[in-house]
Amino acid sequence: MTRPTIHDVARAAGVSLSTVDRVLNDRVGVRHATQIRVAQAMRELGFERNAAAANLARRRQDRLLFILPAGSNSFMRGLERELAQRSEAWEFTSIAVQVVPAFDDVALARTLQAVDPGATDGVAVVATDSPVVRAALAELRERGVAVVTLVSDLPSSRRQHFVGIDNVQAGRTAASLLGRFCRGRSGKIVIVAGSMLVRDHAERRLGFEQVLRAEFPDQQILPPLEGRDDRDIVEAELDRVLRQQPDVTGIYSLGAGTRGVARALAGHAAGAPRPSVVVHDLTPHSRQALLDGSFDAVIHQDPVREISAAVSLLQSLVRGQPVDPDAGRIGIEVFLRDNLP
Amino acid sequence: MTRPTIHDVARAAGVSLSTVDRVLNDRVGVRHATQIRVAQAMRELGFERNAAAANLARRRQDRLLFILPAGSNSFMRGLERELAQRSEAWEFTSIAVQVVPAFDDVALARTLQAVDPGATDGVAVVATDSPVVRAALAELRERGVAVVTLVSDLPSSRRQHFVGIDNVQAGRTAASLLGRFCRGRSGKIVIVAGSMLVRDHAERRLGFEQVLRAEFPDQQILPPLEGRDDRDIVEAELDRVLRQQPDVTGIYSLGAGTRGVARALAGHAAGAPRPSVVVHDLTPHSRQALLDGSFDAVIHQDPVREISAAVSLLQSLVRGQPVDPDAGRIGIEVFLRDNLP
DNA sequence: ATGAAAGCGCTAACAG
DNA sequence: CTGTTAGCGCTTTCAT
């Protein structure tokens, strides 16, 4: 009636608890024959291991480290806050956070090199795309530390997984929204990026241009602004463009610095219909802008899911458990004024 | 260094384990003075209970029952599948599913009355809005069973919580998408519902009409079709309307029966630009329609989140633990062709 | 290669 | 009111 335990399995297979434990955890030192017999018994009884009991007995903490870029980027601060708040929520796991200068590959590489493999089992890192980072990451793996990239990927590096949204798809989604919102008014589209040094921005741009070119050919895409995710730079640059180009119909802000977009827009409220605006990441500011009608849509990645996917992925990696190849894929969320959470 | 346990708390407070356990679980039989002393010690040591150990020792199964409407409704079948698959995923919880005729308040009430309080601790039910259901639900509560509504709410009944999306907001979201997609082509908008007997459909319609009337006044809303979430009825009804009304610019399908919408549309492919279409719930069919361009957007509620929110809410309710008042609120997701998961 | 025994942190009788 | 004791299901030495 009640769920079978290893005791039941042991009895059924005519072996001791330890032996059952050995085959349950693929440990060495079991004759093939007994191996089979135990596995058989498990199957017959429909045994399922009680993870709570296992963790309790194991009494081991996985030590994870998150490396995030510094700066006023609301999204990254949100991740950091989430990590701090919920760091007690994962049983048998301790979480540390380290902040490094944004868009600075050398600093990131140095941080990666400084990770102590004796005190860290796994690392999640928001990657900057550069050879020194790749090298540091490979070295870290060699020293036995599990590594996943977070938010911005580094494909063909030695990271074991990526946790985040598909950024090409995100860009495509932005284009298909912005394109329809601008329909009937052909003109110029401005892309506001942070830096093409980070993969996520480059990928979003790619996806955006793919779809916009193919499906909304009457819109002309201007060369992207690089605002370094800094609201003041973004504001200044965007203001300049809006001043020079009278017929901007849409703006896609694919990085942070969203407050700069809002402010530049506010400075041009007069006269012509305001451009349609799609930005990334729901923050207090983008939410406000959605509510007051200055932005049309927000493409979002949920920090809560992102963190918990990263943690459980790293846990599996560290514990040597099998990992679903597309665990780590977070959904792309779309928010309009009316479905704000 | 290591996390403090009740042993540490007991020692620090100069009491036994049982006493610590008593204050930890708000059990009766502790003098106020000791109460304070123990609480004090916990705070000072930064004690946090180890839930795994607690569950292990408690060795109690919460028995939950999910009551879902029958029929070919893909969304409901999805919930059912999810429940079956993950029913082993919740520790210390057993889950049963019961299917009842759709849109049939009497049958639902009967099922509710037949629930055995001796074998069921909590119930999650997709409610049909009707007095007999309310009564049956109240009776169930009186017999000591925890009750939450799922997907479709029954406000001002005795259910303790609702788990699902905000359906008024969902309708508003649909309107703000469909309105923009149809901009420039004023004409008629068709709403395809299942039945106004279920609250979720009524609420979606309400939200939809609010926004469409206010923000897109050049669109005319036709009286809603009631397709009873049946693809054949939906197809026939919609086909009739499309035949009679040549200038339909948009369709909002707020219930199930989405395949009927796709088929009716296919029958009218010829000539005029096809209407913009927004439907509910991502299913294999709506996904296909999004991909081949016959639907524009899908408003979705994630069955996985829905189930896990319902389970953990019921668990808390059953165990007498405090419940966050808006646990149970699931986000409204928007899918376009480009951000399909 | 296999087994016995001692916990992990907490709860649940049962005694005082 | 408070304390003692025996587990929950599994892992982990340490013997054999």
mmCIF file of all heavy atoms in Angstrom, chain B residues 190-194 196 201 223-229 234-235 237-238 251-257 261:
data_model
loop_
_atom_site.group_PDB
_atom_site.id
_atom_site.type_symbol
_atom_site.label_atom_id
_atom_site.label_comp_id
_atom_site.label_asym_id
_atom_site.label_seq_id
_atom_site.Cartn_x
_atom_site.Cartn_y
_atom_site.Cartn_z
ATOM 1 N N VAL B 190 -15.681 39.290 -34.563
ATOM 2 C CA VAL B 190 -16.469 38.152 -34.085
ATOM 3 C C VAL B 190 -15.848 37.592 -32.812
ATOM 4 O O VAL B 190 -14.628 37.354 -32.770
ATOM 5 C CB VAL B 190 -16.490 37.008 -35.124
ATOM 6 C CG1 VAL B 190 -17.377 35.876 -34.633
ATOM 7 C CG2 VAL B 190 -16.951 37.521 -36.466
ATOM 8 N N ILE B 191 -16.669 37.381 -31.796
ATOM 9 C CA ILE B 191 -16.198 36.698 -30.601
ATOM 10 C C ILE B 191 -16.755 35.287 -30.603
ATOM 11 O O ILE B 191 -17.962 35.090 -30.741
ATOM 12 C CB ILE B 191 -16.697 37.408 -29.321
ATOM 13 C CG1 ILE B 191 -16.123 38.818 -29.245
ATOM 14 C CG2 ILE B 191 -16.310 36.612 -28.076
ATOM 15 C CD1 ILE B 191 -16.607 39.607 -28.048
ATOM 16 N N VAL B 192 -15.865 34.300 -30.466
ATOM 17 C CA VAL B 192 -16.309 32.918 -30.379
ATOM 18 C C VAL B 192 -16.087 32.438 -28.954
ATOM 19 O O VAL B 192 -14.944 32.372 -28.495
ATOM 20 C CB VAL B 192 -15.508 32.011 -31.332
ATOM 21 C CG1 VAL B 192 -16.024 30.577 -31.255
ATOM 22 C CG2 VAL B 192 -15.572 32.536 -32.756
ATOM 23 N N ALA B 193 -17.176 32.132 -28.253
ATOM 24 C CA ALA B 193 -17.056 31.685 -26.860
ATOM 25 C C ALA B 193 -17.479 30.232 -26.751
ATOM 26 O O ALA B 193 -17.915 29.623 -27.737
ATOM 27 C CB ALA B 193 -17.905 32.555 -25.957
ATOM 28 N N GLY B 194 -17.337 29.679 -25.546
ATOM 29 C CA GLY B 194 -17.800 28.311 -25.321
ATOM 30 C C GLY B 194 -19.203 28.389 -24.748
ATOM 31 O O GLY B 194 -20.169 27.948 -25.355
ATOM 32 N N MET B 196 -21.472 31.072 -21.772
ATOM 33 C CA MET B 196 -21.410 32.136 -20.781
ATOM 34 C C MET B 196 -21.701 31.602 -19.374
ATOM 35 O O MET B 196 -21.703 32.344 -18.402
ATOM 36 C CB MET B 196 -22.333 33.299 -21.139
ATOM 37 C CG MET B 196 -21.822 34.098 -22.345
ATOM 38 S SD MET B 196 -20.092 34.705 -22.141
ATOM 39 C CE MET B 196 -19.576 34.888 -23.851
ATOM 40 N N HIS B 201 -15.064 32.433 -19.433
ATOM 41 C CA HIS B 201 -15.465 32.940 -20.739
ATOM 42 C C HIS B 201 -16.162 34.283 -20.609
ATOM 43 O O HIS B 201 -15.895 35.209 -21.369
ATOM 44 C CB HIS B 201 -16.363 31.920 -21.441
ATOM 45 C CG HIS B 201 -15.621 30.700 -21.871
ATOM 46 N ND1 HIS B 201 -16.127 29.782 -22.745
ATOM 47 C CD2 HIS B 201 -14.380 30.254 -21.550
ATOM 48 C CE1 HIS B 201 -15.240 28.812 -22.935
ATOM 49 N NE2 HIS B 201 -14.172 29.075 -22.210
ATOM 50 N N PRO B 223 -22.580 40.029 -31.889
ATOM 51 C CA PRO B 223 -22.976 39.241 -30.720
ATOM 52 C C PRO B 223 -22.181 37.925 -30.696
ATOM 53 O O PRO B 223 -21.948 37.330 -31.747
ATOM 54 C CB PRO B 223 -24.465 38.953 -30.942
ATOM 55 C CG PRO B 223 -24.853 39.623 -32.192
ATOM 56 C CD PRO B 223 -23.692 40.303 -32.806
ATOM 57 N N PRO B 224 -21.725 37.502 -29.517
ATOM 58 C CA PRO B 224 -20.831 36.347 -29.440
ATOM 59 C C PRO B 224 -21.491 35.041 -29.864
ATOM 60 O O PRO B 224 -22.671 34.809 -29.605
ATOM 61 C CB PRO B 224 -20.446 36.287 -27.964
ATOM 62 C CG PRO B 224 -21.496 37.039 -27.250
ATOM 63 C CD PRO B 224 -22.005 38.077 -28.199
ATOM 64 N N LEU B 225 -20.708 34.186 -30.508
ATOM 65 C CA LEU B 225 -21.167 32.833 -30.824
ATOM 66 C C LEU B 225 -20.909 31.969 -29.607
ATOM 67 O O LEU B 225 -19.889 32.116 -28.946
ATOM 68 C CB LEU B 225 -20.326 32.265 -31.971
ATOM 69 C CG LEU B 225 -20.266 33.091 -33.240
ATOM 70 C CD1 LEU B 225 -19.468 32.340 -34.301
ATOM 71 C CD2 LEU B 225 -21.685 33.364 -33.720
ATOM 72 N N GLU B 226 -21.795 31.017 -29.340
ATOM 73 C CA GLU B 226 -21.497 30.062 -28.270
ATOM 74 C C GLU B 226 -21.273 28.688 -28.877
ATOM 75 O O GLU B 226 -22.213 28.019 -29.276
ATOM 76 C CB GLU B 226 -22.626 30.031 -27.231
ATOM 77 C CG GLU B 226 -22.779 31.362 -26.505
ATOM 78 C CD GLU B 226 -23.393 31.226 -25.100
ATOM 79 O OE1 GLU B 226 -23.411 30.109 -24.538
ATOM 80 O OE2 GLU B 226 -23.847 32.263 -24.569
ATOM 81 N N GLY B 227 -20.026 28.282 -28.917
ATOM 82 C CA GLY B 227 -19.680 27.042 -29.623
ATOM 83 C C GLY B 227 -19.531 25.842 -28.716
ATOM 84 O O GLY B 227 -19.167 24.764 -29.158
ATOM 85 N N ARG B 228 -19.801 26.023 -27.430
ATOM 86 C CA ARG B 228 -19.698 24.936 -26.454
ATOM 87 C C ARG B 228 -18.358 24.205 -26.514
ATOM 88 O O ARG B 228 -18.281 23.007 -26.229
ATOM 89 C CB ARG B 228 -20.842 23.943 -26.608
ATOM 90 C CG ARG B 228 -22.215 24.580 -26.475
ATOM 91 C CD ARG B 228 -23.323 23.580 -26.378
ATOM 92 N NE ARG B 228 -23.285 22.846 -25.115
ATOM 93 C CZ ARG B 228 -23.650 23.353 -23.942
ATOM 94 N NH1 ARG B 228 -24.096 24.579 -23.868
ATOM 95 N NH2 ARG B 228 -23.548 22.632 -22.841
ATOM 96 N N ASP B 229 -17.330 24.921 -26.876
ATOM 97 C CA ASP B 229 -15.977 24.339 -26.958
ATOM 98 C C ASP B 229 -15.945 23.107 -27.850
ATOM 99 O O ASP B 229 -15.097 22.230 -27.679
ATOM 100 C CB ASP B 229 -15.459 23.976 -25.549
ATOM 101 C CG ASP B 229 -15.084 25.222 -24.758
ATOM 102 O OD1 ASP B 229 -15.227 26.338 -25.299
ATOM 103 O OD2 ASP B 229 -14.648 25.071 -23.611
ATOM 104 N N VAL B 234 -18.433 25.097 -33.496
ATOM 105 C CA VAL B 234 -17.710 26.340 -33.759
ATOM 106 C C VAL B 234 -17.538 26.538 -35.260
ATOM 107 O O VAL B 234 -17.812 27.617 -35.799
ATOM 108 C CB VAL B 234 -16.324 26.333 -33.070
ATOM 109 C CG1 VAL B 234 -15.460 27.470 -33.590
ATOM 110 C CG2 VAL B 234 -16.481 26.439 -31.557
ATOM 111 N N GLU B 235 -17.126 25.498 -35.938
ATOM 112 C CA GLU B 235 -16.895 25.629 -37.374
ATOM 113 C C GLU B 235 -18.175 26.054 -38.097
ATOM 114 O O GLU B 235 -18.181 27.000 -38.885
ATOM 115 C CB GLU B 235 -16.390 24.314 -37.966
ATOM 116 C CG GLU B 235 -16.155 24.432 -39.467
ATOM 117 C CD GLU B 235 -15.671 23.145 -40.108
ATOM 118 O OE1 GLU B 235 -15.596 22.112 -39.395
ATOM 119 O OE2 GLU B 235 -15.373 23.169 -41.311
ATOM 120 N N GLU B 237 -20.958 27.481 -36.948
ATOM 121 C CA GLU B 237 -21.440 28.816 -36.575
ATOM 122 C C GLU B 237 -20.585 29.912 -37.218
ATOM 123 O O GLU B 237 -21.096 30.889 -37.762
ATOM 124 C CB GLU B 237 -21.360 28.980 -35.050
ATOM 125 C CG GLU B 237 -22.304 28.106 -34.278
ATOM 126 C CD GLU B 237 -23.666 28.765 -34.152
ATOM 127 O OE1 GLU B 237 -23.740 29.836 -33.502
ATOM 128 O OE2 GLU B 237 -24.637 28.236 -34.714
ATOM 129 N N LEU B 238 -19.282 29.730 -37.093
ATOM 130 C CA LEU B 238 -18.388 30.755 -37.600
ATOM 131 C C LEU B 238 -18.497 30.835 -39.119
ATOM 132 O O LEU B 238 -18.495 31.924 -39.707
ATOM 133 C CB LEU B 238 -16.947 30.432 -37.183
ATOM 134 C CG LEU B 238 -15.914 31.488 -37.557
ATOM 135 C CD1 LEU B 238 -16.301 32.860 -37.038
ATOM 136 C CD2 LEU B 238 -14.543 31.090 -37.009
ATOM 137 N N ILE B 251 -11.150 38.113 -35.380
ATOM 138 C CA ILE B 251 -11.850 37.059 -34.651
ATOM 139 C C ILE B 251 -11.145 36.843 -33.330
ATOM 140 O O ILE B 251 -9.915 36.733 -33.283
ATOM 141 C CB ILE B 251 -11.825 35.736 -35.450
ATOM 142 C CG1 ILE B 251 -12.548 35.925 -36.786
ATOM 143 C CG2 ILE B 251 -12.448 34.596 -34.640
ATOM 144 C CD1 ILE B 251 -12.455 34.719 -37.704
ATOM 145 N N TYR B 252 -11.928 36.796 -32.251
ATOM 146 C CA TYR B 252 -11.363 36.473 -30.942
ATOM 147 C C TYR B 252 -12.042 35.209 -30.451
ATOM 148 O O TYR B 252 -13.235 35.211 -30.180
ATOM 149 C CB TYR B 252 -11.595 37.634 -29.969
ATOM 150 C CG TYR B 252 -11.163 37.333 -28.535
ATOM 151 C CD1 TYR B 252 -10.002 36.615 -28.253
ATOM 152 C CD2 TYR B 252 -11.907 37.808 -27.456
ATOM 153 C CE1 TYR B 252 -9.607 36.351 -26.952
ATOM 154 C CE2 TYR B 252 -11.515 37.563 -26.136
ATOM 155 C CZ TYR B 252 -10.365 36.819 -25.897
ATOM 156 O OH TYR B 252 -9.973 36.567 -24.607
ATOM 157 N N SER B 253 -11.290 34.135 -30.360
ATOM 158 C CA SER B 253 -11.845 32.883 -29.875
ATOM 159 C C SER B 253 -11.399 32.714 -28.441
ATOM 160 O O SER B 253 -10.228 32.474 -28.166
ATOM 161 C CB SER B 253 -11.341 31.731 -30.732
ATOM 162 O OG SER B 253 -11.694 30.501 -30.127
ATOM 163 N N LEU B 254 -12.333 32.858 -27.507
ATOM 164 C CA LEU B 254 -11.924 32.920 -26.110
ATOM 165 C C LEU B 254 -12.113 31.621 -25.357
ATOM 166 O O LEU B 254 -11.818 31.533 -24.163
ATOM 167 C CB LEU B 254 -12.622 34.090 -25.405
ATOM 168 C CG LEU B 254 -14.136 34.178 -25.462
ATOM 169 C CD1 LEU B 254 -14.752 33.096 -24.631
ATOM 170 C CD2 LEU B 254 -14.569 35.540 -24.946
ATOM 171 N N GLY B 255 -12.596 30.583 -26.049
ATOM 172 C CA GLY B 255 -12.732 29.302 -25.369
ATOM 173 C C GLY B 255 -11.926 28.249 -26.106
ATOM 174 O O GLY B 255 -10.896 28.544 -26.694
ATOM 175 N N ALA B 256 -12.397 27.017 -26.070
ATOM 176 C CA ALA B 256 -11.734 25.970 -26.827
ATOM 177 C C ALA B 256 -12.455 25.834 -28.172
ATOM 178 O O ALA B 256 -13.208 26.709 -28.565
ATOM 179 C CB ALA B 256 -11.764 24.669 -26.039
ATOM 180 N N GLY B 257 -12.214 24.763 -28.882
ATOM 181 C CA GLY B 257 -12.837 24.589 -30.190
ATOM 182 C C GLY B 257 -12.077 25.339 -31.263
ATOM 183 O O GLY B 257 -12.608 25.692 -32.322
ATOM 184 N N VAL B 261 -12.278 27.002 -35.556
ATOM 185 C CA VAL B 261 -11.962 28.324 -36.099
ATOM 186 C C VAL B 261 -11.037 28.183 -37.304
ATOM 187 O O VAL B 261 -11.271 28.780 -38.364
ATOM 188 C CB VAL B 261 -11.275 29.215 -35.031
ATOM 189 C CG1 VAL B 261 -10.860 30.546 -35.641
ATOM 190 C CG2 VAL B 261 -12.183 29.427 -33.830
#
